Amino acid sequence: MSLTLSPSPVLASILEAIGHTPLVRLRLPGVPQRVELWGKCEWFNPGGSVKDRAALSIVEEGERRGALRPGRTIIDSSSGNTAVGLALVGRAKGYPVELVMPRSVGEERLRLCRAYGARIVFTDALSGSDGAIVKAREMVSAEPDRYFYADQYRNPANVLAHYRTTGPEIWDQTGGRVTHFVGGLGTSGTVVGVSRFLRERNPRVRVVAAEPDHALHGLEGLKHMASALVPEIYDPQAHDEKLAVVTEDAYAVCEETLRADGLLVGHSAGAALWAAREVARTLGSGTVVALLPDGGERYLSARETSRGGRGGPQGPPSSESERGIHSRASA
Amino acid sequence: MAVKVQIPAPLRSLTGGQSEVEVDASDVSGLIDRLDSRHRGLKERLCDADGNLRSYVRIFVNDEDVRFLKEKATPLKTGDTVAIVPAIAGGRG
């Protein structure tokens, strides 16, 4: 391996840096020799996650339709990454952004959103992301002329982002050799959009969705569909198979890929990789692509916590702000 | 010791939809056992095979994270409020 000089992009706006993420060959233990496992590294997006794609697509579709125009405020509920994506896109385009989040949102994402200048509205941690969805809908109903509601769970522009960019990138980067695509289910936009594109190109491509094994889980960004408010953009036909991932198994794969590949990935990426390896194990040969939504730097406080001073998974929190569930004020 | 326990949405399928239940317990460990005897399966969701709280589950006693107190040995008294909170923001019950 050597350092090679490839053309460096020259861009008119940071928003043009969204997409075109690297596809990296992985050497995760347990994958059969004749199966190629690749990771689509979405933390290379400027906002640090796959959600930049949906955020940009939703905002630009809104502008095209006239629903988003100067003077309006972008609003959505998000457990984190979409919030950062919208905060970034809103800031770059000059729109105010308001984000509705459960009080349990990760520190790193919260700080990022504030750094981009977004206003945060907190909802009850006990109600999770669905509680934030309900609150965002109430706010939009109360002042419909003030807001542009991004509505990532219902907005077809979310799916379109992946149909137009993520899917074609995977197709091109594998030279059309992709046999399996594996992605986690959250809003489901990634799986639905990528699936539609890849199946158009090759109907034999198998699409596998990963979801948490239970409603109570530790996989940020993923939804347990059977118990969640099911996103309207979700199409159960988009995947051939759905695998239930145990949270601790996903965390363990994050450590494995760090050791084997030098990749520091987020927990939902761990879930996708766990599922991708399960798929790979059933194959004699193939090209499996796993979508890795974000990097592990967004989970460092949780990571430190889980390796905390008392050595066990229940070690002490790493920051003072984690102490109380009611201690955060709206900003 | 009668203690109020706030149940997060993802676990309400185990409590018959109740968002708050009341149990008698003198510490967090006992509380989890009492909850499990009334709502079978709850302990498995909160604790791993070794009995430790799962890393993505937070338990607060009167707004104080038990990891700052005595973890599962944190004592409880009548009138305390205990909240079980998923450590992540996503998902629902």
Side-chain angles (χ1 to χ4, degrees):
Chain A
M1 181 123 6
S2 63
L3 190 64
T4 55
L5 192 65
S6 55
S8 305
V10 178
L11 307 173
S13 154
I14 189 64
L15 300 181
E16 290 180 10
I18 294 174
H20 310 289
T21 53
L23 189 71
V24 174
R25 178 73 189 269
L26 304 181
R27 281 154 188 88
L28 198 62
V31 174
Q33 214 162 18
R34 292 184 59 206
V35 178
E36 293 178 20
L37 176 61
W38 297 83
K40 181 79 167 149
C41 299
E42 290 297 303
W43 61 89
F44 279 79
N45 284 298
S49 88
V50 66
K51 296 294 194 169
D52 287 5
R53 297 178 189 263
L56 180 62
S57 173
I58 286 169
V59 165
E60 294 199 332
E61 281 295 313
E63 288 176 327
R64 259 192 285 278
R65 285 188 294 110
L68 176 57
R69 49 188 181 271
R72 289 219 166 177
T73 295
I74 299 169
I75 186 172
D76 209 355
S77 61
S78 165
S79 58
N81 281 334
T82 302
V84 178
L86 287 171
L88 161 73
V89 174
R91 173 57 76 187
K93 284 178 172 278
Y95 297 107
V97 176
E98 291 185 17
L99 301 163
V100 186
M101 313 177 161
R103 206 170 285 276
S104 49
V105 68
E107 272 300 314
E108 287 90 342
R109 291 186 187 80
L110 184 60
R111 287 181 189 161
L112 277 168
C113 291
R114 284 183 168 149
Y116 280 118
R119 176 176 173 259
I120 313 295
V121 176
F122 286 118
T123 53
D124 182 9
L126 292 164
S127 300
S129 61
D130 287 357
I133 294 173
V134 171
K135 175 67 177 174
R137 287 177 186 169
E138 285 170 8
M139 290 173 67
V140 173
S141 302
E143 295 183 87
D145 294 334
R146 181 172 165 226
Y147 289 118
F148 167 71
Y149 186 19
D151 205 358
Q152 59 165 334
Y153 295 95
R154 291 197 285 205
N155 196 327
N158 179 353
V159 175
L160 265 182
H162 302 288
Y163 178 82
R164 287 174 175 160
T165 69
T166 323
E169 287 172 31
I170 291 170
W171 184 258
D172 289 344
Q173 286 170 306
T174 60
R177 292 182 305 115
V178 56
T179 59
H180 295 74
F181 171 71
V182 183
L185 288 177
T187 67
S188 77
T190 309
V191 166
V192 174
V194 170
S195 172
R196 278 184 194 156
F197 180 85
L198 292 181
R199 284 174 172 177
E200 276 178 20
R201 289 302 173 102
N202 177 5
R204 291 192 306 176
V205 171
R206 302 245 335 149
V207 177
V208 179
E211 72 166 356
D213 68 329
H214 190 272
L216 182 70
H217 63 86
L219 301 170
E220 187 71 65
L222 299 191
K223 264 181 183 285
H224 179 252
M225 285 296 175
S227 62
L229 279 180
V230 177
E232 283 183 25
I233 57 172
Y234 178 49
D235 172 10
Q237 305 300 316
H239 48 77
D240 300 283
E241 195 180 347
K242 194 163 68 166
L243 295 180
V245 187
V246 174
T247 294
E248 285 86 351
D249 289 346
Y251 289 1
V253 176
C254 292
E255 297 298 321
E256 283 187 73
T257 194
L258 178 60
R259 285 196 297 271
D261 302 299
L263 291 187
L264 183 64
V265 299
H267 297 154
S268 60
L273 285 173
W274 180 89
R277 180 164 61 187
E278 292 302 302
V279 169
R281 280 177 170 151
T282 66
L283 305 175
S285 65
T287 302
V288 180
V289 174
L291 192 292
L292 312 180
D294 63 10
E297 78 279 359
R298 296 230 160 138
Y299 303 86
L300 289 177
S301 63
R303 190 183 164 84
E304 285 159 12
T305 299
S306 69
R307 297 174 155 193
R310 276 164 266 185
Q314 70 280 36
S318 57
S319 77
E320 195 63 18
S321 59
E322 288 181 41
R323 284 182 77 106
I325 50 171
H326 303 299
S327 55
R328 284 182 192 152
S330 294
Chain B
M1 316 277 174
V3 176
K4 280 185 189 156
V5 187
Q6 295 174 343
I7 306 294
L11 290 179
R12 289 179 198 158
S13 61
L14 297 174
T15 60
Q18 294 178 85
S19 59
E20 190 170 289
V21 300
E22 204 165 283
V23 296
D24 285 320
S26 58
D27 62 17
V28 169
S29 183
L31 176 131
I32 291 171
D33 288 336
R34 293 302 294 269
L35 278 175
D36 193 63
S37 66
R38 273 167 50 180
H39 308 288
R40 191 61 67 192
L42 232 153
K43 185 174 183 176
E44 188 195 339
R45 301 318 317 174
L46 301 179
C47 302
D48 63 21
D50 297 327
N52 295 316
L53 277 180
R54 293 186 186 275
S55 61
Y56 53 92
V57 173
R58 300 277 179 270
I59 294 184
F60 295 85
V61 176
N62 302 328
D63 196 25
E64 193 78 4
D65 192 327
V66 299
R67 292 174 301 160
F68 283 106
L69 305 171
K70 293 182 176 170
E71 302 184 1
K72 280 174 67 187
T74 302
L76 299 171
K77 58 182 187 309
T78 298
D80 280 349
T81 297
V82 174
I84 301 170
V85 182
I88 64 153
R92 196 192 91 128

